[in-house]
Structure formats: C-alpha cells, structure tokens
Amino acid sequence: MRIFVTGASGWIGSAVVPELIDAGHEVVGLARSDASAAALTAAGVEVVRGTVDDLDVLRDAAAASDGVIHLAFKHDIAFSGDFQGAAEADRRAVDTIGAALTGTDRPFVLASGVAGLAPGRVSTEQDTATNDGSPISIRVATAQAVLDLASQGVRSSVVRLAPTCHGDGDNGFMATLVATARAKGVSGYAGDGANRWPAVHRLDAAHLFRLAAEKAPAGSVLHGVAEEGVALRDIAEVIGRHLDVPVTSVVPENAAEHFAWLAAFVGIDAPASNTLTRELLAWEPAHLGLLEDLDKGRYFQASTTTA
C-alpha cells in the first residue's frame, strides 16, 4: 500500500516508517521543516511539505494514498499552555483526511491515548472516554469522529497509546522524570507512588500501527499497551538508583513546582489491558519492558530534556 503518514519524522513516526517499508509498503510522509524532509528522504520516504494546518495538502495527500496513519499533533503548543488550540487543529486535520477517504474503504489510523480513560481500574478497548467539556475532550471527540467514519466507507481505527512509550531516543515522560530527578536531586513520585502507568516500547507500538493499517476492521479501538501498569514508585526507584539520589514522595501542593508540566500526569492511575487488541490482530509485544529499558542505562547517559 501507499500510506500517507503525518508525524512521520517524530518519536513514533520514525519507528512506524521503517516498520512499513520493511513490510513492503510505500510511505509518503508529511514534513514541516527542511531537517524533517531530509530525515524522511534518507529513510526512503516520499516527502510532502506542509503542516497539520495545511488542509489542502492533507486532503490531496490522503486522496492520493491507499491509507493514512495520523500521528502528528502540536505537542509544542499543547505543553506550553495551548492544549485546546493544538486539539482544535488536530480535529480540523482529521476531518479533512476523513473527508478525503470517505467511501474508499481505505484505512485511516489515528493515534490517541489511554491516560485518564478509566481512572483507578484497568481500562479495556471497550471503554469509552468521558467527554466532560474540558480541552482534553476535544481529542476524545476527535477519536470518536474517526471511529464514526466506519459508517461512511472508511476502514478507520484508533490506537490508544500508553502514556509511557519508551525506547532509545525518548524525550517524553521517562526522559522528563530523569531530567527532573537530576535537577532536583531527588527522584519523586506522587502520594504513595502506587498509581500505575501502562507502558509500551516504541517498536512494539510501531508494529501495532502497521497491523492496524493492514487489517484492523472498520471502527476498531486498539490499545498500544504492552504492560498493563507500572507503579510510579517503582519507576522512581530505578531512576534514583541510577542517579544515586534519594527516592521520595512529593506532596500534591508541591507537584507543580517539582514536576512542571508533568504534574498533571504523575498522580494518574491508568492501567490498561491489551487483551482484545492482541486477539484481534495477533499483536504480541516483543521488546523490553519499561523497568528493564530504564535499567539499560541509556536514559541516564545525558540529560535529553529539561525539567
């Protein structure tokens, strides 16, 4: 298939691209900068220049493809205070791509998340996120809009990713926790640290996106989760051991000062199951678990992000 990938040079996209190419697919990637375009060209990708705001570009690229994997999101503005703006831009992009694919029976795979889906219990693919009117609910509605395309002749699916998508080159949650511990001189967790984050290695996630594009039935909800839940205190203890700093609880009133933007996530208890996804697509995560990956030491070789 000729697959159009947005976010093709990003953290997940740069793993999805070789996964697709190695399986014999042709990849067309959206690039918003010269550096991204050069990286994609070197990886064997046909480059389309533009951003998620260039709706004409998205429409034309989607229409000329055999399917779309949408990974791009304005994380830069989302985590600097304008999550709503990022989510609204994402919805416009999704609506544009969906309209281009309507009636074609081609795959449209959207990246979403499991965090906050069913706080305090193990969520499954059958759970529906609550639309409570908050900015995050815009993304909830976007995911539902993609699933609704199944009734309009699109083989749509949503991959809900674990918040902890780890591996070499990670600049996300794990890298931020490490950088924070290094800067603060303590490895912190919220409360008693018993709350759980599901986790997945980026290479396992990339494999799931390929399977979704190839064979997920229309309207499928998939969980990109390899480990159901890893306790935050266990994560903090590995980080503390590698950095040789104390491991300690951070009280809620100090969370924002200690964890910065990550404060909104450190207390979330969001375990998630992958049983239905594995049964549907025969997906079997095969790479290192989160604690094993941390123990490799790559995350502690240099500070890859700032606290």
Side-chain angles (χ1 to χ4, degrees):
M1 290 191 292
R2 176 183 171 87
I3 301 178
F4 175 46
V5 181
T6 71
S9 62
W11 168 236
I12 303 297
S14 58
V16 169
V17 164
E19 175 76 24
L20 292 171
I21 291 175
D22 289 348
H25 300 294
E26 179 184 353
V27 179
V28 179
L30 185 69
R32 64 177 180 173
S33 69
D34 290 342
S36 293
L40 292 178
T41 298
V45 175
E46 178 183 331
V47 173
V48 172
R49 290 300 298 263
T51 73
V52 292
D53 293 319
D54 296 319
L55 301 184
D56 289 346
V57 172
L58 297 181
R59 181 179 60 249
D60 292 346
S65 73
D66 297 316
V68 178
I69 298 177
H70 180 47
L71 304 173
F73 188 74
K74 292 184 170 183
H75 290 100
D76 50 349
I77 69 169
F79 292 133
S80 63
D82 189 15
F83 188 93
Q84 181 164 339
E88 289 174 347
D90 187 52
R91 179 58 186 268
R92 291 191 293 269
V94 162
D95 286 346
T96 299
I97 294 168
L101 296 178
T102 295
T104 65
D105 292 322
R106 297 172 185 168
F108 181 14
V109 186
L110 174 74
S112 185
V114 299
L117 184 62
R121 66 171 177 83
V122 178
S123 65
T124 76
E125 295 88 339
Q126 295 176 325
D127 281 307
T128 301
T130 300
N131 190 331
D132 59 6
S134 66
I136 194 70
S137 288
I138 299 174
R139 296 207 78 186
V140 172
T142 297
Q144 187 58 52
V146 170
L147 295 175
D148 290 344
L149 289 169
S151 65
Q152 300 175 44
V154 180
R155 186 161 61 80
S156 60
S157 60
V158 171
V159 176
R160 293 172 175 166
L161 286 169
T164 311
C165 190
H166 57 92
D168 291 348
D170 180 10
N171 281 316
F173 282 15
M174 287 302 104
T176 300
L177 282 176
V178 170
T180 299
R182 180 179 281 117
K184 303 293 185 180
V186 298
S187 180
Y189 55 87
D192 63 4
N195 60 300
R196 298 151 292 176
W197 281 357
V200 65
H201 195 283
R202 68 190 284 261
L203 298 181
D204 286 321
H207 184 51
L208 179 57
F209 276 103
R210 173 171 71 81
L211 293 177
E214 291 176 342
K215 60 183 182 179
S220 297
V221 175
L222 309 167
H223 275 191
V225 171
E227 295 177 279
E228 186 174 280
V230 182
L232 262 290
R233 176 159 189 157
D234 292 341
I235 295 170
E237 287 177 346
V238 174
I239 293 172
R241 184 172 72 251
H242 278 269
L243 294 180
D244 194 23
V245 298
V247 179
T248 186
S249 173
V250 176
V251 296
E253 53 266 33
N254 294 336
E257 187 278 330
H258 186 91
F259 293 107
W261 65 266
L262 201 55
F265 299 93
V266 292
I268 290 177
D269 185 39
S273 169
N274 66 10
T275 299
L276 298 179
T277 299
R278 292 170 63 189
E279 292 174 352
L280 182 66
L281 298 181
W283 176 60
E284 292 296 335
H287 294 275
L288 288 176
L290 175 58
L291 299 182
E292 294 173 291
D293 201 4
L294 282 171
D295 255 335
K296 282 174 56 183
R298 201 286 310 169
Y299 279 91
F300 308 98
Q301 292 173 2
S303 180
T304 55
T305 188
T306 57

